[in-house]
Amino acid sequence: MTDITLIDTIGKTPLVRVNRVLTAEAKANDVRVLVKLEMQNPGGSVKDRIAKNMIEDAERRGTLQPGMTVVEYTSGNTGIGLAMLCAAKGYKCIIVMPQLPPFEERYIVCRMFGADVHLTAPAMGMPGLKTYTEDLVEKNKDYFLVNQFYNEANPSIHYTTTGPEIWEQSGEKVDFFVTGVGTGGTATGTGKYLCEKNPNCKVVCVEPTESRVHLGAAHTPHTILGIGAGIPTHFLTQLAPDQPYAEGSRGHVSEFLSASSSESIEWATKLAQMEGIMVGPSSGATFKVAMDLAGRPEAKGKTIVVIAASHGIRYTAHPLWKNMKEEAKSALPQPPNMSKEEGVLFWDSSKA
């Protein structure tokens, strides 16, 4: 008999070692690479952690009360986590996302959890999402804006849960910590904890090559959902408020490295086919950077921990799945061939 609820299952995700997918340089360097499987949270991503903490923090403060509506602008995974939490707790929920085809799964999952979804003009980017959502909340006194990009309950949950989990699961040995930059909460909270435990730990943030805004570069379009919103994040900015965006460290963050849209797909595919770990494009990006680090001389014999933020099955409308979807369309014709005269085997994917 158990008394735990769905919400109680958030966190305490596995940390697993990978071997087959490592580059030759990583193997020659005898690097231990560990992947934190955040897709095993009940909502399918690392964002379940912050969704839970931001909602429960607001409840404790009294800024979120029964009968109110939870509202947030998001690239998707935080929206799913919030929609799930609101369903479990009985709140109405409005999720605001850009109207882009790769967001199809996010739209239908949020709707399945009972949330309403507002879609904004893609060309207006993150500033458009933010402005629309803030105006919406301003006009409705019973709406609560979660505000993940500025809500301190975001990095704090990574400091109190994600960081300690990784430290314990790794055997108290973390030399490099690699995470993507969405809100900056994971890098801020988890990175701070790990650097307190090991002052020599290198925290490495990953941006899309097409959007290296934390180095002062211009934002251009990319397909790595969940990272690279196109504006410097509040939490990482606050690590060194007076420091310009440029190459080098920022607070406890040692480096900002990058992966391109195509590299993120390449490495997400490799993780699925060589390790059985199905991840989204942002996790492909973080793993690509982990492999870059693993080939450095200073990584010899070290431990690299990588965040796998979300499950790959959530991205079937994304270019990550393009080749498989095209193959499946040929393999599974509509209408199906119902002939009994053409033998038993109709398709062999090895010969596609």
Side-chain angles (χ1 to χ4, degrees):
M1 181 177 177
T2 180
D3 291 322
I4 66 169
T5 67
L6 173 85
I7 297 172
D8 296 326
T9 67
I10 294 172
K12 299 180 180 177
T13 56
L15 184 71
V16 301
R17 185 170 185 173
V18 294
N19 294 291
R20 296 187 64 245
V21 74
L22 299 184
T23 61
E25 294 80 4
K27 292 176 181 177
N29 256 352
D30 193 28
V31 178
R32 183 174 68 143
V33 180
L34 307 176
V35 181
K36 184 70 163 158
L37 303 183
E38 287 297 295
M39 77 283 283
Q40 293 199 16
N41 281 301
S45 86
V46 66
K47 299 299 187 179
D48 291 356
R49 293 181 187 263
I50 68 170
K52 176 179 183 290
N53 201 45
M54 291 186 298
I55 291 293
E56 294 186 345
D57 177 71
E59 290 174 330
R60 289 190 294 269
R61 294 173 182 270
T63 53
L64 175 60
Q65 299 180 8
M68 295 182 70
T69 297
V70 173
V71 184
E72 181 62 322
Y73 60 98
T74 169
S75 64
N77 282 323
T78 301
I80 289 173
L82 288 169
M84 178 186 72
L85 263 290
C86 288
K89 286 176 170 285
Y91 293 110
K92 293 180 180 179
C93 182
I94 298 174
I95 300 301
V96 185
M97 297 186 291
Q99 191 183 54
L100 289 167
F103 287 77
E104 178 183 354
E105 291 92 353
R106 289 156 168 71
Y107 180 92
I108 61 177
V109 172
C110 288
R111 293 291 291 129
M112 182 60 78
F113 279 131
D116 285 324
V117 178
H118 295 193
L119 300 175
T120 61
M124 297 182 70
M126 184 59 70
L129 279 177
K130 182 175 183 290
T131 298
Y132 172 81
T133 308
E134 290 174 345
D135 289 347
L136 181 67
V137 172
E138 180 68 24
K139 295 171 183 175
N140 295 275
K141 62 182 179 64
D142 291 329
Y143 283 9
F144 167 70
L145 177 60
V146 177
N147 212 12
Q148 62 173 319
F149 287 89
Y150 298 89
N151 192 325
E152 290 296 331
N154 173 347
S156 71
I157 195 63
H158 291 299
Y159 181 83
T160 58
T161 66
T162 318
E165 288 172 28
I166 288 172
W167 186 247
E168 179 183 357
Q169 292 168 326
S170 67
E172 300 185 352
K173 183 173 173 56
V174 181
D175 300 298
F176 295 85
F177 173 64
V178 185
T179 182
V181 179
T183 64
T186 306
T188 301
T190 308
K192 179 182 178 183
Y193 182 89
L194 293 175
C195 287
E196 288 176 355
K197 290 298 182 180
N198 174 16
N200 294 317
C201 178
K202 307 297 183 185
V203 176
V204 179
C205 288
V206 180
E207 295 185 284
T209 303
E210 302 91 335
S211 182
R212 305 196 70 184
V213 297
H214 289 88
L215 298 188
H219 168 76
T220 59
H222 63 88
T223 63
I224 311 178
L225 297 183
I227 66 173
I231 54 175
T233 58
H234 167 75
F235 298 123
L236 295 179
T237 298
Q238 290 304 111
L239 295 180
D242 300 322
Q243 180 178 317
Y245 301 111
E247 293 276 359
S249 62
R250 188 175 196 92
H252 62 253
V253 175
S254 300
E255 287 185 86
F256 290 86
L257 299 180
S258 74
S260 67
S261 295
S262 60
E263 288 170 332
S264 72
I265 291 173
E266 174 190 354
W267 282 98
T269 303
K270 285 181 177 180
L271 280 167
Q273 297 183 353
M274 299 181 72
E275 296 287 350
I277 300 174
M278 188 171 289
V279 298
S282 71
S283 302
T286 56
F287 197 83
K288 179 267 180 185
V289 167
M291 291 300 93
D292 290 345
L293 294 169
R296 292 180 177 180
E298 63 267 29
K300 187 173 182 63
K302 302 296 186 179
T303 294
I304 300 175
V305 173
V306 188
I307 291 288
S310 58
H311 201 292
I313 199 64
R314 182 164 287 170
Y315 299 87
T316 60
H318 184 275
L320 173 64
W321 287 82
K322 180 177 181 289
N323 292 340
M324 292 299 102
K325 288 178 70 176
E326 289 178 353
E327 179 182 312
K329 189 174 181 179
S330 298
L332 303 165
Q334 291 289 346
N337 184 347
M338 299 303 292
S339 172
K340 296 181 180 179
E341 310 300 326
E342 299 180 31
V344 175
L345 180 65
F346 278 10
W347 182 268
D348 179 347
S349 64
S350 69
K351 299 176 181 178

